[in-house]
Amino acid sequence: MTEINSESNSIAEELLLKLKKLAENGPIKSLLDADTSVGRTLETALDIEINSSKNPDYRGIELKSFRKRKGIRKNLFAQVPDWKLSKFKSSAEILNEFGYHRDGDFKLYCTISTQNRNSQGLKLKLDDDIEQLIENSDNPEIGDFVVWSLEKLHKRLLKKHNETFWISAETVKKDGVTYFNYTSVEHTKKPISSQFDILLDQGIITIDHLIKRTKTGGDREKGPLFKIKPDSLGLLFPPSDKYSLVS
């Protein structure tokens, strides 16, 4: 780990100082019992309003918090398909075709990759000629059913991750309650969009569907989430800076 360079951006310096002060105060109690709690807890501690905006979180810097566990992929961004270009026109159609009943809900929670088909028979394929990422079913009556424009994905990546703090947290349990120790930061800038396509093609970047229909009939879609495999940020971004939040 290195100390932040004195020539670094003043906003990054300000944010890093705030994170170090939070870390010095010890574990922070989780706000909720959910996968998203590590990010929500940190943003609340930093007085950042929780919202669904696609813009970066802290004065132009995106915050991505994650639990320090082996094998955990990192979230890059959420992006729905280009419905106008797709056979299916909504997440509800995807759920209707490939969903399953579990825990009282009708849902489709799965990962899709270019490397192999999942248990729902779904796979991604990259078409460089028409610059599209395509999701395909092994059901010949369905075939290709949703499409993402690579140009739109590149724009989304560049806007979301122009500058990002990737913040690692250790989970601590006390009397059955979860707390987070935020321990380190990786500071990335300016992703290489051409690498995004290569990493998709290699299965290093994948997509998660997170679609659920509740008993009342309402549909909820948390994705599709584009995720990158652990320890692969260096394949998507130029060399980064790493800071320790604890002494």
Side-chain angles (χ1 to χ4, degrees):
M1 299 292 182
T2 60
E3 292 298 317
I4 193 165
N5 191 303
S6 61
E7 297 179 358
S8 295
N9 181 279
S10 61
I11 297 175
E13 290 179 343
E14 172 187 297
L15 178 56
L16 184 64
L17 182 60
K18 286 188 174 185
L19 290 169
K20 285 186 173 182
K21 287 183 176 179
L22 283 178
E24 287 172 1
N25 291 332
I28 302 174
K29 184 179 179 180
S30 176
L31 293 180
L32 65 162
D33 183 18
D35 290 340
T36 58
S37 61
V38 64
R40 290 195 179 193
T41 300
L42 179 62
E43 290 180 15
T44 300
L46 292 170
D47 294 322
I48 297 172
E49 183 180 351
I50 305 298
N51 58 61
S52 58
S53 171
K54 292 185 177 182
N55 296 318
D57 301 302
Y58 187 90
R59 300 176 64 190
I61 299 178
E62 176 70 10
L63 302 183
K64 285 293 185 184
S65 304
F66 58 95
R67 301 171 196 243
K68 192 175 181 180
R69 294 199 303 246
K70 187 176 181 180
I72 297 297
R73 292 169 298 147
K74 294 180 174 67
N75 289 343
L76 290 172
F77 55 82
Q79 182 62 52
V80 298
D82 291 323
W83 300 120
K84 290 182 179 179
L85 301 176
S86 303
K87 178 185 293 186
F88 287 3
K89 301 301 181 183
S90 68
S91 296
E93 287 190 56
I94 299 174
L95 180 61
N96 289 342
E97 190 63 47
F98 305 111
Y100 50 85
H101 291 278
R102 184 169 297 169
D103 300 327
D105 294 319
F106 187 59
K107 62 176 64 175
L108 179 64
Y109 281 24
C110 66
T111 298
I112 314 99
S113 166
T114 57
Q115 298 303 294
N116 44 58
R117 293 193 181 276
N118 65 16
S119 58
Q120 284 80 22
L122 306 180
K123 187 178 180 180
L124 296 175
K125 58 182 184 180
L126 204 64
D127 192 323
D128 292 324
D129 292 335
I130 56 175
E131 297 186 341
Q132 290 180 350
L133 177 66
I134 301 163
E135 188 171 357
N136 172 270
S137 167
D138 63 357
N139 182 341
E141 294 182 2
I142 299 174
D144 299 342
F145 61 94
V146 289
V147 169
W148 290 264
S149 157
L150 289 177
E151 180 183 10
K152 183 175 287 188
L153 292 177
H154 293 169
K155 288 180 179 178
R156 183 82 175 89
L157 174 69
L158 292 168
K159 182 177 181 180
K160 190 73 170 176
H161 291 293
N162 180 60
E163 186 172 5
T164 303
F165 270 28
W166 304 86
I167 304 159
S168 175
E170 294 178 348
T171 303
V172 180
K173 287 279 189 179
K174 293 183 179 179
D175 299 323
V177 178
T178 299
Y179 292 79
F180 297 115
N181 276 322
Y182 297 93
T183 58
S184 63
V185 174
E186 184 169 359
H187 184 191
T188 61
K189 296 180 181 180
K190 309 292 184 185
I192 305 164
S193 57
S194 59
Q195 282 292 108
F196 181 80
D197 301 354
I198 293 170
L199 297 179
L200 274 169
D201 196 44
Q202 294 175 342
I204 294 172
I205 292 177
T206 53
I207 295 177
D208 278 11
H209 281 307
L210 297 169
I211 316 170
K212 181 168 71 173
R213 182 171 298 146
T214 62
K215 293 178 182 179
T216 58
D219 288 354
R220 286 189 289 177
E221 164 71 281
K222 298 179 183 178
L225 291 180
F226 285 75
K227 295 187 175 187
I228 188 167
K229 285 187 175 182
D231 304 318
S232 298
L233 291 180
L235 301 176
L236 183 60
F237 295 89
S240 60
D241 294 315
K242 296 180 180 180
Y243 316 123
S244 176
L245 300 179
V246 292
S247 52

